[in-house]
Amino acid sequence: MPTKLSLSSSVYPYEDVTALLDTATKDMEVGQLIQIPSFSLFDAMCAIVIMDPKMDTGMVMDDIVSRPVFNINMRVTPTEFIWIFDNILIGQMTWLSGHALSQTLFTSCHILRLLEINEYDDDEEPSGPTKDAPQPPREFLVAVLKSCVLAIAKSCSLIWSEMRKGQVYEEEDFMTNKFGVSMFEDIPTASLVAMLDQAEYWMETEGTQWIRDHCGDDAGEILKGVMERIDYCRSSYMALFQVIAPKCSLYPQAGPQLEAMRTHISGLKATHALGTKVEGAFDHTIHRQLVANTPPRAIALLTFDETIEQLAQMCTDLMSIGKALSFTDTANLVNFFILFGSQKPAPGAFPRSILQTVLYEDRIVMGSRKVEDVVRESIQETVSPVSWIFDNFDVLQAKLGGAGNTTPASESQLLESIPELAEDDISSYKLRIQTNVVMFVEKATKPFVDTLQIMGQNTSRQRRNLRKIVQLWETLQEQAEVFDADVHAVLEELRIQQLGPTGDEDGALEQPAAPFYFVSWVYHLKLWVMEWLLFLGSELELYSPFEYSMVYAYVDSVLGAHSQHLQRIKSIIESEVLEPEPVVPIGPIPTKETHEESGIKETSEQKKKKKKKKKTSASSTTTTTSTTTEKVIEYAKPKKTILMWLYLTSVKMQLTRGVFLVLASLTKAGHLTTTPPHIASHGLNDLETLFAHRFRAFRLLSSPEALTFEIFLSRVDCDGLDSIAILDYATDYFSEAQRALDQLLLLSAAEAQVLLCEDAWRKDIKNMIKVCIASKIGIAGLQKDARILELRKSTLEAQKRKAAASSPGPKLTTAQIRSSSSSSSKASAPVLKAPVRKVVFEWKYHSWWPVVTLAPPSS
Amino acid sequence: MPPKSKTKSKPKAKSGGPSAATTTTTTTTTTTATAPSDSTTTESSHGSSTNTPATKTKTETTSSSSSSTVPSMATPLPPIDYVGYESEHQLQGMMSLIENDLSEPYSIYTYRYFLHQWPKLSFLAMDREKGTCIGVIVCRLEPHGHSARNRGYIAMLAVSKEYRKRKIGSTLVLMAIEAMKSAGADEIVLETEYTNQSAIALYQQMGFIKDKRLYRYYLNGVDAFRLKLLCKPELLALDLAPVNA
Ligand SMILES: CC(C)(COP(=O)(O)OP(=O)(O)OC[C@H]1O[C@@H](n2cnc3c(N)ncnc32)[C@H](O)[C@@H]1OP(=O)(O)O)[C@@H](O)C(=O)NCCC(=O)NCCS
């Protein structure tokens, strides 16, 4: 129960044990300690050093005692109201940005002692500088200020009830401790609205008149300032009320309120300067009286401008969540979550919590769709399974127990019930598959929802929790294999039933490879989670420069596996003979072939080498290169979701590989190292250990095949190419990526499936384009570096020497190039004389890919 | 350093009983290791144990190490003694040194928590002439997590302002690492504000990596990095629990 603050007397009886302790400790030597084993670090840090003014927050300080108590019933002028209001707002937003109520909102005397504001008690004298000025009517205090303060307090209480759900992290994201202080939960919303109405009515009549009579030239502005604040209070309270209503029942109505709130926020900003300070209205020592065991820490309140900025951002975020409620399909929803979670600056803790609440409540997604439907749709969009496997989905799912009360018993019951449902053998086979599908979808809801939920967490937590999410998908993948095997078995029986047991030659040829629907879907999402996890390491600045090449090689290999996988899904879908379905076309997947025709000047020799290289070091991802020009009229078409994923994943891989190749070339030239002396200086770490440590979350996964340390080393070597040649490849990758990204920008929001987050999506694409452009410019500079040129010379000389020595003819075979170059680079790195330069990593374009350059040579 | 005590108020009189348990008397050992230091030589002086594969060192630049930061030769360094923690008598000096660098004070119990349980894992750097404590490191070593690894933890490190950039901090960290390793540490961790460039650079030179970022770890709202040093790489291979919390 909320207790009223009693500042003066303690109700607890106490006994002074100082003397007792003094006697008892006489026998102890200095340095002896009596300690209960359970006395933890936490206890130690919370311990109070009684009567030490720094460490005993409960100690009543003389200056606090002697200070006059703020007169809560002191009348306020309209401009004083503006000042008080704005500072309370600062307190609210500072609280929302993660600080304690005791140091923010509760520093306002009007918040803490609101109910002491007395309507009829009108006998006190004005004080201070206002003495000579005309007394403002009491209504500015008792009608206007009181109702507005109440509105803010109650808004905060709504926010508090959301934050108590524990979707964001206590202390880290937010502090919910109310210190037992009431936020007027028991005053009904209707009363608040009535009070605000009354304030507004009074303002429109007498208030306006008074301001006109007494405020001179500023009257118009002051009037506006007061009215804006009343209006802001009403719309912000109503908006929050609707946003927070259970099961999103009122969220759709919140849109207009949030819009209004945002308009009033600019009104607040425009009139803020009119405020007049009220001495004593905020007590920044209140923390001492509310909390006993922790010293107050220096906190910086937000400035008013920051307050306004964050408020407006909060409105925008809540509005975008509101719009997402009416999502058309899962692909758009998933994209919305991805882009919401990667906004910069990150959304505040409150919208992040709302996002998670709205996503999933009582097995309902976004307040309207059954979670099973959403998962089913995701599977359909991704792997386009034969359509009948989802027939009867709703019926079977209802049988299975609908609202999530799946038990093994109900599953087996369901299976038993099949014969009665079935009309003939075929449909009974189909029914068995359909039942499996229902059960699989049920199993998949947790990983699916949990993954989206992560977007509502702070980025540090995202990364830490994604490691667990990878495991969830891994486990589901194992289960998916069983389901797929079952599906295959039944499909096979179906085929035999239809075609007879002896498949004739033609039939055997036509029979496509059985599609692994479930595994494919799961594996796709698992790979995506892995990529995201690795990129977050960059975003959170966890990697040191010497680790970058290892990290980007690893990300490259995961992205490679991913685009290969997506390509495979696409091919399988295309191989299925089905009635065609109209699909919005998007440009062809960027291919290696197209980039070779690009305007980059290459000698034929370079091209030859390039081909060679693609087969070796770039091997894991060659499948992205398949052409897409074949006619697919009579075949099923993959849904655009899978095409978009394939497209974007390929682009990310090109960017990643571009970055990796730049790093590799700088490593070769000795500007960068993967083994700085310090990592081994104390015999503690080496790169291989770090490699194992950094990627340990993936080491035990069944797939994809992990990049090993040895393969990483050979990748860095790049087949013995010299830095300039490696940089040429890097340029190609950046050009390719840029071209593909330019194509993406041509898509409409509907085509790109970003209807709910188009702006953020375009911005992200543009940022990637900037990385490409800046990298290409950077590379041009790198290719003039003295060391890199020197390396080229010595590599060419070594090759010539090798060629002259070993081959009789003038023609070089690729095998020879390969053997000569790799041996030269492995065995004896050439000694370069040109100076080593400092490597510069520029993250300003995108937090996932740096632009890598060299600092000007120090002369 | 650990986060300043958070507000999560614990019931004060919880573990009820009057069970005044163990007295821990600090046994004192003078680990007076005269520093390899006081020298103003740059780099390599702190390589105490296994030295570096010298082959590639010429080509280093990425870390700031090459931008030679030779401390001003003008003020010759007073001799520094490195001593182990011995007794409560040293506590005041240690506390005032650390408090100088922290906005908020730790209670004396926090110091005692570490110093009484792991006295051998704390070291002081003393100005021999003045007899004052000018550098300090405080650590802990405990089994951690479900794998029950021995996790060393550097709780506090500080060097007095006038004595910085002279490898005193590095020397203290090295002494602590060696002490924790010989006491069986599998890994060593610590947290530091993500903006604390000097501390991060120092630890990275010792082989620590940034293992995690901790959002708003300190109550002033600043993120922390958890830095980690792997002492026994072999363990990684054995660790079958893929995800630790
Ligand atoms: C961190 C601290 C202990 C370093 O002590 P120190 O004796 O100056 O450190 P060292 O002389 O051993 O420095 C070793 C390396 O750290 C790095 N470093 C130290 N101070 C640095 C600074 N101001 N800027 C950049 N790097 C710095 C350098 O890489 C240096 O190596 P170099 O001299 O070869 O360039 C000291 O700055 C300090 O007390 N800071 C305040 C308390 C604190 O932050 N503690 C850590 C919290 S866990």
Side-chain angles (χ1 to χ4, degrees), chain A residues 31 98 172 678 681 685 694, chain B residues 50 60 107 116 204 207 210 216:
Chain A
E172 198 172 288
H678 68 256
S681 61
N685 280 332
R694 280 294 189 205
Chain B
T50 12
E60 286 310 312
S107 84
H116 283 258
Q204 284 190 326
K210 298 179 202 160
R216 290 174 50 85

Side-chain angles (χ1 to χ4, degrees), chain A residues 200-258:
Chain A
E200 189 168 21
Y201 177 74
W202 182 82
M203 271 305 298
E204 279 166 356
T205 52
E206 291 167 54
T208 304
Q209 198 52 51
W210 191 87
I211 290 174
R212 290 234 169 90
D213 294 347
H214 295 88
C215 295
D217 291 346
D218 283 343
E221 279 302 292
I222 292 174
L223 188 59
K224 179 169 175 259
V226 176
M227 294 308 280
E228 285 285 5
R229 279 162 182 75
I230 297 175
D231 289 339
Y232 165 84
C233 283
R234 188 186 289 109
S235 55
S236 71
Y237 180 80
M238 286 319 292
L240 288 172
F241 184 82
Q242 288 160 342
V243 161
I244 276 162
K247 302 189 179 177
C248 310
S249 53
L250 301 175
Y251 209 139
Q253 281 120 279
Q257 295 289 358
L258 286 164

Side-chain angles (χ1 to χ4, degrees), chain A residues 390-403:
Chain A
F390 283 111
D391 287 351
N392 293 321
F393 187 80
D394 290 333
V395 181
L396 288 167
Q397 208 231 304
K399 284 208 169 230
L400 193 61

Side-chain angles (χ1 to χ4, degrees), chain B residues 1 64 69 101 157-159 163-170 190-192 196-199 201-203 205:
Chain B
M1 61 187 158
S64 57
T69 41
D101 280 313
L157 167 70
V159 172
Y163 295 80
R164 287 189 188 161
K165 299 287 284 173
R166 288 161 182 180
K167 295 291 175 219
I168 296 172
S170 303
L190 63 106
E191 294 106 21
T192 184
N196 191 341
Q197 298 289 352
S198 54
L202 183 155
Y203 286 117
Q205 289 206 354

Side-chain angles (χ1 to χ4, degrees), chain A residues 31 44-45 97-98 171-173 297 458 460 464 540-541 544 670-673 678 681 684-685 693-694 836, chain B residues 3 5 7 50 59-62 104 107 109 116 181 204-205 207 210-211 213-216 219 229-230:
Chain A
M45 296 187 75
S97 70
E171 300 276 351
E172 198 172 288
D173 284 310
R297 47 220 89 247
N458 66 61
S460 302
R464 291 165 73 177
L540 294 168
E541 298 164 41
S544 304
H671 290 299
L672 194 63
T673 179
H678 68 256
S681 61
L684 298 173
N685 280 332
H693 181 71
R694 280 294 189 205
V836 165
Chain B
S5 55
T7 41
T50 12
T59 61
E60 286 310 312
T61 39
T62 23
E104 299 146 29
S107 84
Y109 306 108
H116 283 258
K181 273 179 69 183
Q204 284 190 326
Q205 289 206 354
K210 298 179 202 160
D211 193 43
R213 177 134 166 185
L214 310 169
Y215 181 68
R216 290 174 50 85
L219 282 186
L229 181 72
L230 305 161

Side-chain angles (χ1 to χ4, degrees), chain A residues 54 157 584 841:
Chain A
K54 249 201 301 193
S157 149
V584 184
F841 299 89

